[in-house]
Amino acid sequence: MLSPAADAARGAGVAWRTDTRQTAAEAQIAEEIDGPLLGYTARTVTGATGPIQNENGQALYHQVRFDGLKPDTRYVYRVRAADGWSEWLPFRTAKAEFAPFRFIYLGDTQNDILEIGSRVIRSAFKEAGPAALVVHAGDLVAQREVKVHDDEWGEWTEAGGRAFAMTPQLPATGNHEYVDHILPGGEESRVLGPHWALQFALPDNGAEGVKATSYFVDYQGVRFIVLDGTAALDLGGLETQTRWLDATLASSPARWNVALFHQPIYTCARPQDTEELKAAWKPIFDARNIDLVLQGHDHCYGRVSNPAGAEASHADSAAGRPQGPVYVVSVTGSKMYGLNDRADTQPVRAAENTELYQLIDVEADRLSFRAFTATGQLYDAFTLTRGADGRNRLTESDQSLLALRRCDGAAGPDDRPCTAEIKD
């Protein structure tokens, strides 16, 4: 599992799993060449090893960080297990300065990961072409539900396969990355599941007390800011993350700033928005002119360009008035939620009973967002253009979009039953 360093132009991290015979974290890295002698000048890097014990027995996770890399350079790396080395896996570091790139955004995978969700992940990679990285909006797995946790993480890793090992992954935690925990007094609480910190070699630059699940990455002129909504809402991590968010945005040197977290500010499924996060984080997003807020949790699609509603957003676009931030909720996996009573008026675009992936193209003064259904049909698209005043103007796509996907009572939009659960 490949992850970027905080400065993605000069570092990366890799995590991998072995049986208990391989007791040391050892990897090799070299600049990629056109010939076969990839290991001729490779350097060996060591790291940290941690155990995991669960229903499938004991295993070891290893993490190594590659520091001092050259910007905009192709590298190959391989990792060691007791029976030998892995294959050489290529990746490219980011450029040191701004340059256009494309990234993939995925919502919750959570259930039926390998059986159903994997086809959306793989379709996203296939259609994206040279995607620079992937962001995940939490609930990668469904911990606390049907399957053994270790099996779910195995399915999620297999869903991305070697693409996850060659393209940097930026995950946010969802509530399902946490597991139930009973406090000494008998009260119910939750703790971060044991796989998270082992599965990803993430930057250590997050909010105090939430460093395992909050961080930022600078990639080629974009600052990705990853927050932990579950820690904020349930575990006392709101204040420290709020201060860190403001400082991280205030110090950002990036042309574009993107926030990534799980519980949405504006929900497409639930009766109420996430008011605690809205009260704490929305004023910062507004004041700091953040560009995109990418979320999950609601198993539907919703894009809010103006909190006053779709009509106000269209009016702003027609008049050339600034808009933003743009809030998006999406879902990758099989579990579906029904749209709420605001879905016809507040989001510019919404969908239920629909699996999607998103491709975002970053340019110097323009950010283009496209959402595709699982079969590759364009469902939503817009462009943010940076004006001379530093504010964004939003233009709706003039491309033909797929018809709105809604359930009609018990009937779903694919000539199948509607499986969208109504949240109340």
Side-chain angles (χ1 to χ4, degrees):
M1 191 67 58
L2 185 67
S3 302
D7 179 359
R10 295 175 175 85
V14 62
W16 72 102
R17 175 168 163 157
T18 69
D19 61 30
T20 56
R21 294 176 298 150
Q22 180 63 32
T23 57
E26 188 176 347
Q28 290 186 331
I29 189 168
E31 290 188 39
E32 191 172 18
I33 59 173
D34 293 316
L37 298 180
L38 297 173
Y40 191 73
T41 60
R43 62 183 172 100
T44 300
V45 184
T46 58
T49 294
I52 192 164
Q53 177 74 45
N54 53 51
E55 298 89 342
N56 288 327
Q58 188 170 16
L60 294 174
Y61 276 91
H62 313 276
Q63 292 187 1
V64 161
R65 299 179 189 275
F66 302 124
D67 298 319
L69 303 183
K70 298 177 183 178
D72 192 23
T73 301
R74 286 184 63 100
Y75 285 92
V76 288
Y77 74 92
R78 63 180 181 177
V79 299
R80 191 173 183 88
D83 293 323
W85 292 96
S86 72
E87 68 272 47
W88 288 101
L89 295 156
F91 73 98
R92 182 188 289 274
T93 53
K95 290 180 170 64
E97 65 287 338
F98 176 84
F101 69 96
R102 173 178 294 171
F103 69 94
I104 299 169
Y105 152 47
L106 298 172
D108 301 26
T109 312
Q110 190 170 337
N111 299 89
D112 303 314
I113 299 168
L114 194 56
E115 178 185 0
I116 295 174
S118 64
R119 63 146 184 165
V120 183
I121 295 171
R122 294 167 183 176
S123 294
F125 275 107
K126 180 181 176 183
E127 297 301 324
L133 51 87
V134 185
V135 303
H136 303 267
D139 280 5
L140 285 61
V141 297
Q143 291 186 159
R144 298 179 288 121
E145 286 193 357
V146 178
K147 293 184 179 179
V148 170
H149 302 170
D150 200 50
D151 289 348
E152 290 180 338
W153 279 107
E155 287 194 12
W156 188 83
T157 305
E158 177 64 20
R162 287 298 181 262
F164 282 175
M166 297 187 295
T167 305
Q169 305 297 303
L170 280 74
T173 46
N175 53 298
H176 283 273
E177 270 68 67
Y178 284 79
V179 295
D180 294 336
H181 176 63
I182 304 300
L183 298 174
E187 302 94 340
E188 291 186 3
S189 183
R190 60 180 71 185
V191 296
L192 188 63
H195 289 78
W196 181 267
L198 299 170
Q199 179 89 8
F200 303 105
L202 299 172
D204 183 25
N205 58 5
E208 289 299 324
V210 199
K211 281 191 174 266
T213 53
S214 63
Y215 59 98
F216 71 84
V217 167
D218 288 330
Y219 193 99
Q220 225 161 273
V222 177
R223 174 160 285 188
F224 293 93
I225 302 170
V226 182
L227 296 154
D228 183 345
T230 303
L233 294 167
D234 300 336
L235 300 172
L238 179 61
E239 184 178 349
T240 184
Q241 285 190 87
T242 301
R243 291 195 305 269
W244 174 80
L245 169 65
D246 190 46
T248 302
L249 278 169
S251 65
S252 174
R255 288 176 181 259
W256 301 95
N257 292 284
V258 176
L260 175 73
F261 53 92
H262 186 59
Q263 291 87 347
I265 299 291
Y266 298 103
T267 174
C268 54
R270 300 166 199 272
Q272 302 297 324
D273 292 330
T274 314
E275 297 298 339
E276 196 171 355
L277 296 187
K278 184 193 291 184
W281 294 350
K282 182 181 182 298
I284 297 173
F285 295 153
D286 291 340
R288 300 295 184 187
N289 293 327
I290 200 165
D291 301 295
L292 275 181
V293 180
L294 305 179
Q295 307 145 110
H297 196 49
D298 289 353
H299 295 229
C300 48
Y301 182 83
R303 190 247 298 180
V304 174
S305 305
N306 185 324
E311 186 175 332
S313 179
H314 287 307
D316 285 344
S317 292
R321 290 189 289 264
Q323 288 197 69
V326 179
Y327 297 85
V328 184
V329 178
S330 188
V331 58
T332 298
S334 65
K335 188 176 184 180
M336 295 291 151
Y337 291 166
L339 292 170
N340 61 24
D341 58 4
R342 299 184 299 283
D344 290 326
T345 56
Q346 188 179 47
V348 175
R349 192 75 166 158
E352 60 189 349
N353 253 74
T354 305
E355 295 174 86
L356 305 107
Y357 61 88
Q358 289 71 218
L359 305 182
I360 297 95
D361 290 295
V362 179
E363 300 177 51
D365 296 313
R366 186 169 61 182
L367 189 152
S368 300
F369 180 104
R370 291 174 295 158
F372 295 89
T373 64
T375 59
Q377 299 184 82
L378 186 64
Y379 193 77
D380 188 23
F382 65 90
T383 299
L384 295 178
T385 302
R386 182 68 47 79
D389 60 356
R391 301 296 304 280
N392 296 332
R393 273 69 177 176
L394 187 148
T395 305
E396 299 291 342
S397 173
D398 59 3
Q399 295 177 270
S400 178
L401 302 179
L402 188 65
L404 286 174
R405 288 179 53 84
R406 299 288 300 268
C407 289
D408 182 9
D414 295 308
D415 295 325
R416 307 285 193 279
C418 178
T419 62
E421 173 190 350
I422 302 299
K423 302 299 288 183
D424 52 23

